[in-house]
Amino acid sequence: MGIELPKIVLHPATVVEPQCPGTRALARSDIPAIGRLFNKVFRRRDSAAGEDLDRYMETVFFGSPFYSPEQGGVVHENGNGDIDSAILSVPMEFDVDGRRIVARLLCAFMVDGKAAAAGAARLARGVRAARQDLCFSDSSSPVSADHCVAGGGVILPIQSLEWQRFLRPLAAVAILAGRRIPMLKARLVVGALRSIDRVLRRWSPSTRPLGAPGCHVQAASLDEFLRCAAPMLERFSIRPAWSKSEFDWLVNIASMNKSLGVLQSRNVIRDDGRTIGAFLFFGKPGGMANVLNVLCEEGCEADVTAAMFACLDAEGYAVATGMAQPFLMNAISRQRWLCFRHRGYFCLVTRHADIKEAALGNDIYIGGLASESWSRLLTDF
């Protein structure tokens, strides 16, 4: 999430060094100014943010169990003492081959127009990619991605994609187009299209995903998802640590995103009682299921994804979407009525050769709760 400035582009993996003139750590007292800058840059209106946005920003950018000024956002002040540019970030703990590191998710780079070019340049000059344990962004623009690579970073091409599985195709098209044209996702419009979809589903049974023989899906608590996730993540060299305190914090702020629906989870269980997978998603009844995370035992990818899509279809969703993951690509690509779209470059920078090698070798689990997909800054305000 960011803007483009000629020759002044922030790539993921940025830390502004303290000696950079005019820069300092983001402070809680900066929230009103940051909220106004957010409105001006991303919403094209020069107005105060309002209490809701201010509270949300404080929760997201100061509430993490791993927050510290060094891991938080950075601002630049002009000669009048006003903030004219800022980088917002969220610390997240990762497990890297048994060692724990605190990574930084970069959420926004905000610059107050051409007048702030000097400040943006200072932020850019202050970056030192070689000093990053792990820094990433899941929504970078092409120019930012180029700068990431030039600075020693890598692009994760598969995680840069979003899959879309159409369950009720006409209603799904209206809901997806409604991201830009809100009237198309109105209840009356979607309801009428769902009626036509019922006829289409009888005429073309392939719209209905087939479940996995010998498996069933069961509603699960978020705590149960975490218990399932821990052993299923061990197959990856790089993975979110998701301590209980951090996971609880993440699901708490994710649950604030009511525009995406209700945050919920399901387990995929074999008939012998063994849980072989789990998925976490936002669901809007009759609308979109926005899948954050899918996990499974190694070798069970086909059964888990088939069971997931059959479950979401049975629950009445029109479309399911989620970030692509390398280990699931073969299984998901076997679905009918499926497409992929570019969702923004997933960029990653690290000073550690083993992390970079693992990321390039798809030996990494990242995305969903371990990215920006849950943020209200992408969908609200």
Side-chain angles (χ1 to χ4, degrees), residues 312-349:
L312 296 176
D313 178 63
E315 293 186 16
Y317 294 102
V319 60
T321 70
M323 179 187 292
Q325 297 284 353
F327 76 105
L328 292 175
M329 284 295 283
N330 182 39
I332 286 180
S333 296
R334 293 171 184 265
Q335 289 288 315
R336 305 290 297 274
W337 294 85
L338 179 105
C339 69
F340 292 92
R341 64 177 286 271
H342 182 72
R343 60 185 302 277
Y345 290 96
F346 200 117
C347 297
L348 180 151
V349 173

Side-chain angles (χ1 to χ4, degrees), residues 234-268:
E234 290 180 358
R235 63 194 284 193
F236 303 99
S237 295
I238 306 170
R239 56 190 183 268
W242 283 344
S243 63
K244 184 67 166 62
S245 61
E246 185 183 29
F247 183 82
D248 287 348
W249 180 76
L250 284 169
V251 298
N252 180 57
I253 58 171
S255 297
M256 295 178 184
N257 197 339
K258 303 302 183 184
S259 66
L260 293 179
V262 177
L263 184 64
Q264 50 199 300
S265 68
R266 304 284 185 269
N267 287 347
V268 180

Side-chain angles (χ1 to χ4, degrees), residues 193-217:
L193 293 174
R194 285 176 68 92
S195 298
I196 303 173
D197 278 326
R198 282 194 287 271
V199 177
L200 175 62
R201 282 161 65 88
R202 288 195 295 269
W203 175 69
S204 179
S206 65
T207 58
R208 301 181 180 184
L210 299 176
C215 296
H216 64 280
V217 177

Side-chain angles (χ1 to χ4, degrees), residues 212 214-221 224-233 235 265-281 291 293-308 311 327-328 365:
C215 296
H216 64 280
V217 177
Q218 181 175 296
S221 69
E224 287 177 301
F225 175 84
L226 178 59
R227 285 194 292 272
C228 288
M232 292 177 186
L233 283 169
R235 63 194 284 193
S265 68
R266 304 284 185 269
N267 287 347
V268 180
I269 303 171
R270 285 226 168 117
D271 289 345
D272 61 7
R274 190 169 98 251
T275 298
I276 61 170
F279 57 99
L280 182 71
F281 69 102
V291 178
N293 297 97
V294 184
L295 293 162
C296 65
E297 291 185 357
E298 193 164 3
C300 295
E301 293 82 5
D303 284 346
V304 168
T305 54
M308 176 183 72
C311 168
F327 76 105
L328 292 175
Y365 188 90

